[in-house]
Amino acid sequence: MNTPIIRQDLIARIRQSDEWDFIVIGGGATGLGTTVEAATRGYRTLLLEKYDFAKGTSSRSTKLVHGGVRYLAQGNIHLVREALHERGLLRRNAPHLVHDLKFVVPGYTWWSQLFYGAGLQVYDLLSGNLSLGRSQFLSEQDTRSRIPTLKTDGLRGGVVYHDGQFDDARLAITLLQTLLDYNGVALNYLPVIGLLKQGERVTGVRARDAETGETFEIKGKIVVNATGVFVDDVRRMDNPKASAMLSPSQGAHIVVDKRFLPNDSAMMIPKTEDGRVLFAVPWHNKVVIGTTDTPVEHTAYEPRPLEEEIDFILHTAAQYLTPAPTREDVLSVFVGQRPLVKAEATESTAALSREHVISVSASGLLTITGGKWTTYRKMGEDVVDRAIQLVNLSAHPSISSKLHLHGWTQQPTAAPLDVYGSDAASIQELPGANTLLHPRLPYLEAEVRWAARYELARTVEDVLARRTRSLLLDAIASMEAAPRVAAILAEELGRDPTWQQQQIEDYHSLATGYLLNHESTASSSDRVKKVLSKA
């Protein structure tokens, strides 16, 4: 059995350390990737997260580890080649989390079938010896057998290609555990509230424990701003007059029942009416459909979809699927915001850079932004390499390209414990290993205990939104499961009934924002109020 991760022990290490080599702000894909890179090279590494790991964009992706078919169409060969290489490394380094998924591109004209087939063969070639499989043309019958719900009027055939799929928040937690395995320190709910300076030079951070109010002044040789769509906020802690680096956009997704895509293949629509790409992807026995690319003026930790985004997704899906999902079929809706690097002459966020950018301020604050989950490892490697050049750090070679992430196994157990890899056996020994949290959710009560003991889960939201994916799979069911999660967490964390009730109410307020059907929202609210009255 693993050694429990005690929050106070991690905080004690902050108090005892005179200076860290790396202080990384932000617990999403980029921050976690950077800290794993630094810690595995032997540097003293600290990560601080304002809320929870992967609270923002890093838990709200389309769940794909991919090179980016549309970037190929845009002619960005370098980005596609790099992403495909990283896709192959991640598949090799975390086989319990990343797996091959077949995508079908339906063809309704002979020209479209030929055009996309040729493009996907180039996609195959760019993946080199890390290919997940070769694309091939499909007959009309083969296309229909792979996607039985596909509209067949005018269907001529299709093309099938291979890409990767993963669970984004679970990869984030796996990186957290890998960081801790290599003697790094990471803390959620410990926001950075200011930067320390000696003269004009950034020498550390000022942080506050959100749970206790205790403040810390923490010194570091290099401070890395890896806060995704919030990087400009941290840059303005350094320089209030700093101009914005980002033109953020958001992508909405809906989650519906498996019956709308009953087989194991995904569907990719390469060009919608307004030139976007739409995916329908099987995930945890549900189907994720998205995404959009909508410019936004303001960033948010809980972004909400625009009505036109939902209409676009449902309208486009209805052009290809029968039966087609309606608003009443949506189990959950979620939105991720993208940290797109500004291009002053560009009007559309679809055309902005998806590549990562590293910048260093006059005071030495290193900012990393852009990129995507697939290239998280390369982003971390580039940040550490740049930091070595900037400050007095002895150079150590990167080992992350061949690093088996925490839980690595080539023979994972059955879902839902597959995402834990080799830790699954330990979870099966905990109380509640045979008890479902909710009849409509695949998760076990034992997973709540594991999340509290070994994954730094502190709230009901942490468990239902990110340690499990209950919120995204079925928002109403997750609300109904919240009281039991709160009770287990209270037992594990030593909380009182008042804390439990507040947690349930907070979670209900959050989860309501993931629902489209107001009638369902109202009925769920009534059910949860009844549960609250008994809590």
Side-chain angles (χ1 to χ4, degrees):
M1 181 68 74
N2 297 11
T3 302
I5 300 169
I6 308 300
R7 177 181 173 85
Q8 286 305 315
D9 290 349
L10 297 174
I11 289 176
R13 289 183 59 188
I14 293 178
R15 294 194 190 100
Q16 295 162 6
S17 179
D18 293 330
E19 185 180 48
W20 300 84
D21 293 326
F22 283 82
I23 299 174
V24 178
I25 310 171
T30 310
L32 287 162
T34 298
T35 50
V36 167
E37 180 71 30
T40 55
R41 294 201 202 187
Y43 300 116
R44 291 167 294 173
T45 306
L46 171 66
L47 181 148
L48 300 175
E49 163 57 39
K50 182 177 184 179
Y51 293 114
D52 186 33
F53 308 107
K55 158 72 174 176
T57 303
S58 296
S59 62
R60 303 160 190 263
S61 73
T62 316
K63 319 308 177 192
L64 302 180
V65 180
H66 63 135
V69 172
R70 76 167 173 175
Y71 310 140
L72 181 63
Q74 294 170 356
N76 197 335
I77 301 298
H78 169 75
L79 175 60
V80 175
R81 180 185 288 114
E82 178 180 83
L84 287 172
H85 179 74
E86 292 298 318
R87 178 193 71 175
L89 295 181
L90 186 52
R91 175 71 177 84
R92 189 171 66 191
N93 293 338
H96 57 301
L97 285 169
V98 180
H99 63 269
D100 173 26
L101 183 64
K102 295 181 177 66
F103 289 75
V104 173
V105 183
Y108 290 88
T109 67
W110 69 268
W111 169 247
S112 66
Q113 195 172 359
L114 181 63
F115 178 79
Y116 294 118
L120 289 167
Q121 287 179 354
V122 175
Y123 195 67
D124 295 341
L125 290 173
L126 291 174
S127 64
N129 60 4
L130 292 173
S131 172
L132 300 183
R134 295 299 178 188
S135 61
Q136 63 185 72
F137 290 98
L138 299 175
S139 67
E140 177 189 350
Q141 182 177 354
D142 286 341
T143 304
R144 292 170 60 182
S145 68
R146 289 175 184 267
I147 306 183
T149 50
L150 187 65
K151 285 189 173 180
T152 57
D153 291 348
L155 182 68
R156 292 179 173 272
V159 181
V160 63
Y161 73 98
H162 299 251
D163 242 328
Q165 186 180 43
F166 77 139
D167 186 314
D168 46 13
R170 287 306 316 175
L171 178 56
I173 299 305
T174 295
L175 291 172
L176 163 68
Q177 293 171 309
T178 305
L179 169 65
L180 299 174
D181 289 344
Y182 280 84
N183 207 37
V185 172
L187 280 156
N188 47 358
Y189 301 103
L190 211 153
V192 169
I193 57 175
L195 300 177
L196 303 180
K197 288 189 175 182
Q198 184 173 350
E200 296 299 316
R201 187 81 183 166
V202 171
T203 57
V205 301
R206 184 176 295 105
R208 178 184 295 123
D209 186 342
E211 294 189 359
T212 66
E214 182 180 3
T215 59
F216 304 88
E217 291 194 349
I218 310 168
K219 293 183 178 181
K221 291 180 180 177
I222 188 82
V223 176
V224 178
N225 173 15
T227 52
V229 294
F230 302 101
V231 292
D232 287 331
D233 295 344
V234 176
R235 290 175 63 244
R236 287 173 185 139
M237 287 182 183
D238 175 34
N239 175 11
K241 296 181 180 179
S243 59
M245 286 184 68
L246 301 182
S247 289
S249 76
Q250 71 176 32
H253 307 76
I254 64 171
V255 179
V256 296
D257 190 79
K258 178 73 170 168
R259 67 187 175 89
F260 294 102
L261 200 70
N263 284 2
D264 293 331
S265 294
M267 179 177 69
M268 194 268 277
I269 306 304
K271 191 171 184 179
T272 61
E273 289 178 349
D274 59 355
R276 288 183 275 193
V277 173
L278 192 80
F279 293 98
V281 181
W283 188 66
H284 291 318
N285 209 35
K286 297 291 189 292
V287 178
V288 176
I289 306 177
T291 182
T292 57
D293 202 341
T294 307
V296 293
E297 291 186 10
H298 304 290
T299 54
Y301 282 95
E302 285 295 337
R304 295 289 178 251
L306 303 176
E307 285 297 315
E308 52 263 38
E309 291 181 295
I310 302 302
D311 290 342
F312 164 76
I313 293 172
L314 292 173
H315 172 71
T316 305
Q319 293 178 306
Y320 292 90
L321 296 177
T322 180
T326 66
R327 295 179 72 91
E328 288 68 30
D329 296 309
V330 175
L331 299 170
S332 186
V333 57
F334 66 94
V335 178
Q337 293 185 333
R338 304 180 184 94
L340 303 182
V341 181
K342 262 184 177 294
E344 297 299 333
T346 302
E347 295 181 357
S348 169
T349 58
L352 294 185
S353 175
R354 261 61 176 176
E355 296 186 75
H356 62 272
V357 172
I358 296 173
S359 71
V360 182
S361 73
S363 65
L365 175 68
L366 192 157
T367 295
I368 168 74
T369 193
K372 57 181 182 175
W373 250 122
T374 306
T375 56
Y376 87 89
R377 188 209 66 83
K378 185 64 168 65
M379 294 168 71
E381 182 180 37
D382 289 351
V383 168
V384 174
D385 286 345
R386 184 67 183 276
I388 290 171
Q389 298 171 357
L390 290 171
V391 297
N392 185 26
L393 289 173
S394 57
H396 301 297
S398 174
I399 65 169
S400 59
S401 65
K402 296 182 180 179
L403 177 69
H404 288 178
L405 299 184
H406 182 93
W408 186 94
T409 177
Q410 291 182 305
Q411 296 179 321
T413 189
L417 300 185
D418 53 333
V419 296
Y420 299 92
S422 59
D423 284 337
S426 297
I427 297 172
Q428 290 170 323
E429 297 175 4
L430 295 177
N434 297 311
T435 306
L436 286 173
L437 271 179
H438 189 281
R440 296 202 307 276
L441 295 172
Y443 303 110
L444 307 171
E445 288 189 358
E447 293 179 78
V448 183
R449 298 189 186 279
W450 181 266
R453 296 182 192 183
Y454 302 102
E455 297 178 345
L456 288 175
R458 309 296 292 175
T459 70
V460 168
E461 179 194 338
D462 294 349
V463 171
L464 290 173
R466 291 172 292 277
R467 304 310 185 278
T468 73
R469 310 317 307 275
S470 304
L471 176 59
L472 302 194
L473 297 181
D474 190 327
I476 291 177
S478 77
M479 284 192 274
E480 294 169 349
R484 182 57 184 149
V485 173
I488 297 172
L489 283 179
E491 181 182 335
E492 293 289 332
L493 302 177
R495 306 300 193 191
D496 61 22
T498 301
W499 179 88
Q500 290 185 56
Q501 179 129 346
Q502 187 62 54
Q503 281 287 304
I504 297 165
E505 293 173 357
D506 290 347
Y507 184 75
H508 176 258
S509 177
L510 172 91
T512 299
Y514 288 69
L515 294 169
L516 287 184
N517 189 326
H518 295 292
E519 183 179 343
S520 295
T521 303
S523 62
S524 173
S525 178
D526 291 341
R527 288 196 295 270
V528 174
K529 285 178 180 176
K530 290 180 181 178
V531 174
L532 284 171
S533 67
K534 298 176 182 177

